[in-house]
Amino acid sequence: MRLKDKVLLIGGAGSNMSRATALLFAQEGAKVALAARTTEKMEETAGRIRANGGDVLTHQTDLTDAAQVESLIDATVAEFGGVDCFIHAAGGYFSTEHDITTMDPEYWDGALQNNLRTLFNPVRSLVPILEKRGGGCIITISAGERVRQDANAAYAAAKSGMVATAKNLAKELYDKNIRVHALCPGIIWDPLPDGEITPVATQLERLGNPIDIAYAALWLCSDEGAWATGLELTIDGGDSLFIDSPIRREVLA
């Protein structure tokens, strides 16, 4: 119960890293609010939390729309009394297409909007709420350096912008006791298993699992991580160090 009485809000709640995080946080005693543009995967996650006796709220929200974000936050505060942790899991636009000369400008703008505006809108409104609770934690899920380099320029710009935003906000919000971090995963290949969330295999030579990201977020949002802010925490099994992983290389082949 490392998060007993804390409230987690996840923006961009889907079926992968955000689902693992929501389930783990609920196991650890948090009340969980889920927000997503599409509802199917979000409701599946909520169902798993409820089946285990957890408290969960779902709210269909387009995080690029400021009015919808305000509605989401109002609903969360009304249901749970406040917010202690916000995890920004929205984004997308990963592809290995590199040719900038043929990239549609709308694709470039879409990558920035879906990765950065979806961070800006909730944070702008949540800061006073987190401050009122005595502080809290904001995490944006970016991408590891190797992933950014393997992807296209629009994705790299957006994900790098998330890291820069987190570090800048960590400085800006220090006096409000609000910690801000960027989690930077490698490519997460393994599916999330059914049942209770528990640590996966301890060896480095394996595929990434959503649970790897969930446990990192748990430490950062818990009181155990209370004296850390502004981290760019890479969780990729060494891929950003250009480690030669036969297992991961075979998947990419």
Short mmCIF file of all heavy atoms in Angstrom, two decimals, residues 79-124:
data_model
loop_
_atom_site.label_atom_id
_atom_site.label_comp_id
_atom_site.label_asym_id
_atom_site.label_seq_id
_atom_site.Cartn_x
_atom_site.Cartn_y
_atom_site.Cartn_z
N GLU A 79 -14.97 13.50 -7.44
CA GLU A 79 -15.05 12.09 -7.05
C GLU A 79 -14.07 11.73 -5.94
O GLU A 79 -14.41 11.02 -4.99
CB GLU A 79 -14.77 11.20 -8.27
CG GLU A 79 -14.86 9.71 -8.02
CD GLU A 79 -16.29 9.20 -7.87
OE1 GLU A 79 -17.22 9.94 -8.23
OE2 GLU A 79 -16.46 8.06 -7.40
N PHE A 80 -12.84 12.23 -6.04
CA PHE A 80 -11.77 11.77 -5.16
C PHE A 80 -11.18 12.87 -4.26
O PHE A 80 -10.31 12.58 -3.44
CB PHE A 80 -10.64 11.14 -5.98
CG PHE A 80 -11.04 9.89 -6.71
CD1 PHE A 80 -10.67 9.69 -8.03
CD2 PHE A 80 -11.79 8.90 -6.08
CE1 PHE A 80 -11.02 8.53 -8.71
CE2 PHE A 80 -12.15 7.73 -6.76
CZ PHE A 80 -11.77 7.55 -8.08
N GLY A 81 -11.61 14.10 -4.42
CA GLY A 81 -11.16 15.17 -3.54
C GLY A 81 -9.91 15.90 -3.96
O GLY A 81 -9.54 16.90 -3.34
N GLY A 82 -9.25 15.45 -5.00
CA GLY A 82 -8.03 16.10 -5.46
C GLY A 82 -7.23 15.18 -6.35
O GLY A 82 -7.70 14.11 -6.76
N VAL A 83 -6.00 15.57 -6.65
CA VAL A 83 -5.07 14.76 -7.44
C VAL A 83 -3.70 14.88 -6.80
O VAL A 83 -3.27 15.97 -6.41
CB VAL A 83 -5.01 15.24 -8.91
CG1 VAL A 83 -3.96 14.45 -9.70
CG2 VAL A 83 -6.38 15.12 -9.59
N ASP A 84 -3.00 13.75 -6.68
CA ASP A 84 -1.64 13.72 -6.16
C ASP A 84 -0.60 13.42 -7.22
O ASP A 84 0.53 13.88 -7.13
CB ASP A 84 -1.52 12.68 -5.05
CG ASP A 84 -2.45 12.96 -3.89
OD1 ASP A 84 -2.19 13.92 -3.14
OD2 ASP A 84 -3.45 12.23 -3.77
N CYS A 85 -0.98 12.62 -8.22
CA CYS A 85 -0.05 12.20 -9.26
C CYS A 85 -0.75 12.31 -10.62
O CYS A 85 -1.89 11.85 -10.77
CB CYS A 85 0.40 10.75 -9.06
SG CYS A 85 0.98 10.35 -7.41
N PHE A 86 -0.08 12.90 -11.58
CA PHE A 86 -0.57 12.92 -12.95
C PHE A 86 0.45 12.24 -13.84
O PHE A 86 1.63 12.60 -13.84
CB PHE A 86 -0.81 14.35 -13.45
CG PHE A 86 -1.12 14.42 -14.91
CD1 PHE A 86 -2.24 13.77 -15.43
CD2 PHE A 86 -0.29 15.12 -15.78
CE1 PHE A 86 -2.52 13.83 -16.80
CE2 PHE A 86 -0.58 15.18 -17.14
CZ PHE A 86 -1.69 14.54 -17.65
N ILE A 87 -0.02 11.25 -14.60
CA ILE A 87 0.84 10.58 -15.56
C ILE A 87 0.30 10.85 -16.96
O ILE A 87 -0.84 10.52 -17.29
CB ILE A 87 0.93 9.07 -15.29
CG1 ILE A 87 1.64 8.84 -13.95
CG2 ILE A 87 1.68 8.36 -16.42
CD1 ILE A 87 1.84 7.40 -13.58
N HIS A 88 1.15 11.47 -17.76
CA HIS A 88 0.80 11.82 -19.14
C HIS A 88 1.29 10.70 -20.05
O HIS A 88 2.49 10.51 -20.24
CB HIS A 88 1.48 13.15 -19.50
CG HIS A 88 1.44 13.48 -20.95
ND1 HIS A 88 2.56 13.45 -21.75
CD2 HIS A 88 0.40 13.84 -21.75
CE1 HIS A 88 2.22 13.78 -22.98
NE2 HIS A 88 0.93 14.02 -23.01
N ALA A 89 0.34 9.92 -20.56
CA ALA A 89 0.68 8.75 -21.38
C ALA A 89 0.16 8.88 -22.81
O ALA A 89 0.12 7.91 -23.56
CB ALA A 89 0.11 7.48 -20.74
N ALA A 90 -0.28 10.07 -23.19
CA ALA A 90 -0.75 10.30 -24.56
C ALA A 90 0.45 10.49 -25.49
O ALA A 90 1.56 10.75 -25.04
CB ALA A 90 -1.66 11.52 -24.60
N GLY A 91 0.22 10.34 -26.77
CA GLY A 91 1.32 10.57 -27.70
C GLY A 91 1.10 9.91 -29.04
O GLY A 91 0.17 10.21 -29.77
N GLY A 92 1.98 8.95 -29.37
CA GLY A 92 1.88 8.27 -30.66
C GLY A 92 2.79 8.90 -31.70
O GLY A 92 3.70 9.68 -31.40
N TYR A 93 2.59 8.50 -32.95
CA TYR A 93 3.31 8.98 -34.13
C TYR A 93 4.67 8.32 -34.32
O TYR A 93 5.50 8.79 -35.10
CB TYR A 93 3.46 10.51 -34.12
CG TYR A 93 2.18 11.21 -34.52
CD1 TYR A 93 1.10 11.29 -33.65
CD2 TYR A 93 2.03 11.76 -35.79
CE1 TYR A 93 -0.07 11.91 -34.01
CE2 TYR A 93 0.85 12.39 -36.18
CZ TYR A 93 -0.19 12.46 -35.28
OH TYR A 93 -1.37 13.07 -35.66
N PHE A 94 4.89 7.18 -33.66
CA PHE A 94 6.13 6.44 -33.93
C PHE A 94 6.03 5.77 -35.30
O PHE A 94 5.04 5.10 -35.61
CB PHE A 94 6.37 5.37 -32.87
CG PHE A 94 7.59 4.52 -33.16
CD1 PHE A 94 8.84 4.94 -32.75
CD2 PHE A 94 7.47 3.32 -33.86
CE1 PHE A 94 9.96 4.18 -33.02
CE2 PHE A 94 8.59 2.55 -34.14
CZ PHE A 94 9.84 2.98 -33.72
N SER A 95 7.03 5.97 -36.11
CA SER A 95 7.21 5.20 -37.35
C SER A 95 8.68 5.31 -37.72
O SER A 95 9.39 6.21 -37.24
CB SER A 95 6.33 5.73 -38.48
OG SER A 95 6.90 6.91 -39.05
N THR A 96 9.14 4.44 -38.56
CA THR A 96 10.55 4.45 -38.95
C THR A 96 10.75 5.15 -40.29
O THR A 96 11.79 4.99 -40.92
CB THR A 96 11.08 3.00 -39.03
OG1 THR A 96 10.24 2.24 -39.90
CG2 THR A 96 11.11 2.36 -37.66
N GLU A 97 9.77 5.94 -40.72
CA GLU A 97 9.91 6.74 -41.95
C GLU A 97 10.77 7.96 -41.64
O GLU A 97 10.45 8.74 -40.75
CB GLU A 97 8.53 7.18 -42.45
CG GLU A 97 8.57 8.15 -43.62
CD GLU A 97 9.35 7.61 -44.81
OE1 GLU A 97 8.98 6.52 -45.29
OE2 GLU A 97 10.32 8.27 -45.22
N HIS A 98 11.86 8.14 -42.37
CA HIS A 98 12.82 9.19 -42.05
C HIS A 98 12.84 10.34 -43.06
O HIS A 98 13.51 11.34 -42.82
CB HIS A 98 14.24 8.62 -41.97
CG HIS A 98 14.47 7.76 -40.77
ND1 HIS A 98 14.89 8.25 -39.56
CD2 HIS A 98 14.33 6.43 -40.60
CE1 HIS A 98 15.01 7.28 -38.69
NE2 HIS A 98 14.67 6.16 -39.30
N ASP A 99 12.17 10.22 -44.18
CA ASP A 99 12.34 11.20 -45.25
C ASP A 99 11.57 12.48 -44.95
O ASP A 99 10.37 12.57 -45.18
CB ASP A 99 11.88 10.59 -46.58
CG ASP A 99 12.26 11.46 -47.77
OD1 ASP A 99 12.73 12.60 -47.54
OD2 ASP A 99 12.08 11.01 -48.90
N ILE A 100 12.27 13.48 -44.45
CA ILE A 100 11.64 14.75 -44.10
C ILE A 100 11.09 15.45 -45.33
O ILE A 100 10.14 16.24 -45.24
CB ILE A 100 12.65 15.65 -43.35
CG1 ILE A 100 11.95 16.84 -42.68
CG2 ILE A 100 13.76 16.12 -44.28
CD1 ILE A 100 11.12 16.47 -41.49
N THR A 101 11.64 15.16 -46.51
CA THR A 101 11.21 15.86 -47.72
C THR A 101 9.82 15.45 -48.17
O THR A 101 9.17 16.18 -48.92
CB THR A 101 12.20 15.62 -48.87
OG1 THR A 101 12.19 14.23 -49.24
CG2 THR A 101 13.60 16.06 -48.47
N THR A 102 9.36 14.28 -47.73
CA THR A 102 8.03 13.84 -48.11
C THR A 102 7.04 13.84 -46.94
O THR A 102 5.90 13.42 -47.09
CB THR A 102 8.09 12.41 -48.70
OG1 THR A 102 8.62 11.51 -47.72
CG2 THR A 102 8.95 12.38 -49.94
N MET A 103 7.47 14.33 -45.78
CA MET A 103 6.60 14.36 -44.61
C MET A 103 5.55 15.44 -44.77
O MET A 103 5.86 16.60 -45.08
CB MET A 103 7.40 14.59 -43.33
CG MET A 103 6.58 14.52 -42.06
SD MET A 103 7.58 14.78 -40.57
CE MET A 103 8.55 13.26 -40.53
N ASP A 104 4.29 15.07 -44.56
CA ASP A 104 3.20 16.03 -44.61
C ASP A 104 3.31 16.99 -43.42
O ASP A 104 3.47 16.55 -42.28
CB ASP A 104 1.87 15.26 -44.54
CG ASP A 104 0.67 16.14 -44.85
OD1 ASP A 104 0.67 17.32 -44.43
OD2 ASP A 104 -0.28 15.64 -45.47
N PRO A 105 3.23 18.30 -43.64
CA PRO A 105 3.27 19.24 -42.51
C PRO A 105 2.21 18.96 -41.46
O PRO A 105 2.43 19.20 -40.27
CB PRO A 105 3.05 20.61 -43.18
CG PRO A 105 3.53 20.43 -44.58
CD PRO A 105 3.20 19.01 -44.93
N GLU A 106 1.08 18.42 -41.88
CA GLU A 106 0.03 18.08 -40.91
C GLU A 106 0.47 16.93 -40.00
O GLU A 106 0.06 16.86 -38.85
CB GLU A 106 -1.28 17.73 -41.63
CG GLU A 106 -1.91 18.93 -42.32
CD GLU A 106 -3.26 18.59 -42.93
OE1 GLU A 106 -3.70 17.42 -42.81
OE2 GLU A 106 -3.88 19.50 -43.52
N TYR A 107 1.29 16.03 -40.54
CA TYR A 107 1.83 14.95 -39.71
C TYR A 107 2.75 15.53 -38.63
O TYR A 107 2.67 15.15 -37.46
CB TYR A 107 2.59 13.95 -40.58
CG TYR A 107 3.12 12.75 -39.83
CD1 TYR A 107 2.35 11.60 -39.70
CD2 TYR A 107 4.40 12.76 -39.25
CE1 TYR A 107 2.83 10.50 -39.00
CE2 TYR A 107 4.88 11.67 -38.55
CZ TYR A 107 4.09 10.55 -38.43
OH TYR A 107 4.57 9.46 -37.73
N TRP A 108 3.62 16.45 -39.05
CA TRP A 108 4.52 17.10 -38.09
C TRP A 108 3.72 17.80 -36.99
O TRP A 108 3.98 17.62 -35.81
CB TRP A 108 5.41 18.11 -38.83
CG TRP A 108 6.34 18.86 -37.94
CD1 TRP A 108 6.05 19.99 -37.23
CD2 TRP A 108 7.69 18.53 -37.64
NE1 TRP A 108 7.15 20.40 -36.52
CE2 TRP A 108 8.17 19.52 -36.76
CE3 TRP A 108 8.55 17.52 -38.05
CZ2 TRP A 108 9.47 19.52 -36.26
CZ3 TRP A 108 9.85 17.51 -37.56
CH2 TRP A 108 10.30 18.49 -36.67
N ASP A 109 2.73 18.60 -37.40
CA ASP A 109 1.92 19.34 -36.42
C ASP A 109 1.14 18.38 -35.52
O ASP A 109 0.98 18.63 -34.32
CB ASP A 109 0.95 20.28 -37.14
CG ASP A 109 1.66 21.44 -37.82
OD1 ASP A 109 2.85 21.69 -37.50
OD2 ASP A 109 1.04 22.08 -38.69
N GLY A 110 0.65 17.30 -36.10
CA GLY A 110 -0.11 16.32 -35.32
C GLY A 110 0.75 15.67 -34.25
O GLY A 110 0.29 15.44 -33.12
N ALA A 111 2.01 15.36 -34.58
CA ALA A 111 2.91 14.75 -33.60
C ALA A 111 3.15 15.69 -32.43
O ALA A 111 3.12 15.27 -31.26
CB ALA A 111 4.23 14.40 -34.27
N LEU A 112 3.35 16.97 -32.71
CA LEU A 112 3.56 17.94 -31.63
C LEU A 112 2.29 18.13 -30.80
O LEU A 112 2.34 18.21 -29.58
CB LEU A 112 4.01 19.27 -32.21
CG LEU A 112 5.34 19.25 -32.98
CD1 LEU A 112 5.70 20.67 -33.43
CD2 LEU A 112 6.47 18.67 -32.14
N GLN A 113 1.15 18.19 -31.48
CA GLN A 113 -0.11 18.41 -30.76
C GLN A 113 -0.44 17.23 -29.86
O GLN A 113 -0.80 17.41 -28.68
CB GLN A 113 -1.24 18.62 -31.77
CG GLN A 113 -2.62 18.71 -31.15
CD GLN A 113 -3.39 19.95 -31.58
OE1 GLN A 113 -2.82 21.01 -31.75
NE2 GLN A 113 -4.67 19.80 -31.78
N ASN A 114 -0.32 16.02 -30.37
CA ASN A 114 -0.73 14.84 -29.60
C ASN A 114 0.26 14.48 -28.49
O ASN A 114 -0.13 13.81 -27.53
CB ASN A 114 -0.91 13.64 -30.53
CG ASN A 114 -2.25 13.64 -31.21
OD1 ASN A 114 -3.23 13.14 -30.68
ND2 ASN A 114 -2.33 14.24 -32.39
N ASN A 115 1.49 14.93 -28.60
CA ASN A 115 2.47 14.64 -27.57
C ASN A 115 2.68 15.80 -26.60
O ASN A 115 2.95 15.57 -25.42
CB ASN A 115 3.82 14.27 -28.20
CG ASN A 115 3.84 12.87 -28.77
OD1 ASN A 115 4.07 11.90 -28.06
ND2 ASN A 115 3.56 12.75 -30.06
N LEU A 116 2.58 17.04 -27.08
CA LEU A 116 2.92 18.19 -26.25
C LEU A 116 1.71 18.97 -25.76
O LEU A 116 1.66 19.35 -24.59
CB LEU A 116 3.86 19.12 -27.02
CG LEU A 116 5.27 18.54 -27.24
CD1 LEU A 116 6.09 19.45 -28.15
CD2 LEU A 116 5.99 18.35 -25.92
N ARG A 117 0.74 19.21 -26.62
CA ARG A 117 -0.45 19.92 -26.12
C ARG A 117 -1.20 19.06 -25.10
O ARG A 117 -1.79 19.58 -24.15
CB ARG A 117 -1.39 20.31 -27.27
CG ARG A 117 -2.57 21.16 -26.79
CD ARG A 117 -3.45 21.60 -27.95
NE ARG A 117 -2.80 22.59 -28.78
CZ ARG A 117 -2.85 23.90 -28.57
NH1 ARG A 117 -3.52 24.38 -27.53
NH2 ARG A 117 -2.25 24.73 -29.40
N THR A 118 -1.17 17.75 -25.28
CA THR A 118 -1.82 16.85 -24.32
C THR A 118 -1.12 16.84 -22.97
O THR A 118 -1.69 16.37 -21.97
CB THR A 118 -1.87 15.41 -24.87
OG1 THR A 118 -0.54 14.97 -25.16
CG2 THR A 118 -2.73 15.33 -26.12
N LEU A 119 0.10 17.33 -22.92
CA LEU A 119 0.82 17.52 -21.67
C LEU A 119 0.53 18.91 -21.10
O LEU A 119 0.25 19.07 -19.90
CB LEU A 119 2.32 17.34 -21.89
CG LEU A 119 3.26 17.65 -20.72
CD1 LEU A 119 2.95 16.76 -19.52
CD2 LEU A 119 4.72 17.48 -21.16
N PHE A 120 0.57 19.91 -21.95
CA PHE A 120 0.37 21.29 -21.53
C PHE A 120 -1.00 21.53 -20.90
O PHE A 120 -1.10 22.11 -19.81
CB PHE A 120 0.56 22.22 -22.74
CG PHE A 120 0.08 23.63 -22.53
CD1 PHE A 120 0.80 24.52 -21.76
CD2 PHE A 120 -1.10 24.05 -23.12
CE1 PHE A 120 0.35 25.83 -21.57
CE2 PHE A 120 -1.56 25.35 -22.94
CZ PHE A 120 -0.83 26.25 -22.16
N ASN A 121 -2.05 21.08 -21.56
CA ASN A 121 -3.41 21.38 -21.08
C ASN A 121 -3.66 20.85 -19.66
O ASN A 121 -4.10 21.60 -18.79
CB ASN A 121 -4.45 20.83 -22.05
CG ASN A 121 -4.68 21.73 -23.24
OD1 ASN A 121 -4.36 22.92 -23.22
ND2 ASN A 121 -5.25 21.17 -24.32
N PRO A 122 -3.40 19.57 -19.38
CA PRO A 122 -3.66 19.09 -18.01
C PRO A 122 -2.75 19.72 -16.96
O PRO A 122 -3.21 20.07 -15.87
CB PRO A 122 -3.42 17.58 -18.11
CG PRO A 122 -3.51 17.25 -19.55
CD PRO A 122 -3.02 18.45 -20.27
N VAL A 123 -1.45 19.88 -17.28
CA VAL A 123 -0.53 20.41 -16.28
C VAL A 123 -0.93 21.83 -15.89
O VAL A 123 -0.92 22.20 -14.70
CB VAL A 123 0.92 20.37 -16.80
CG1 VAL A 123 1.85 21.18 -15.90
CG2 VAL A 123 1.40 18.92 -16.88
N ARG A 124 -1.29 22.63 -16.86
CA ARG A 124 -1.67 24.02 -16.57
C ARG A 124 -2.80 24.08 -15.55
O ARG A 124 -2.80 24.93 -14.66
CB ARG A 124 -2.10 24.71 -17.88
CG ARG A 124 -2.49 26.16 -17.71
CD ARG A 124 -2.84 26.80 -19.02
NE ARG A 124 -3.99 26.14 -19.66
CZ ARG A 124 -4.66 26.67 -20.69
NH1 ARG A 124 -4.27 27.84 -21.19
NH2 ARG A 124 -5.68 26.04 -21.21
#
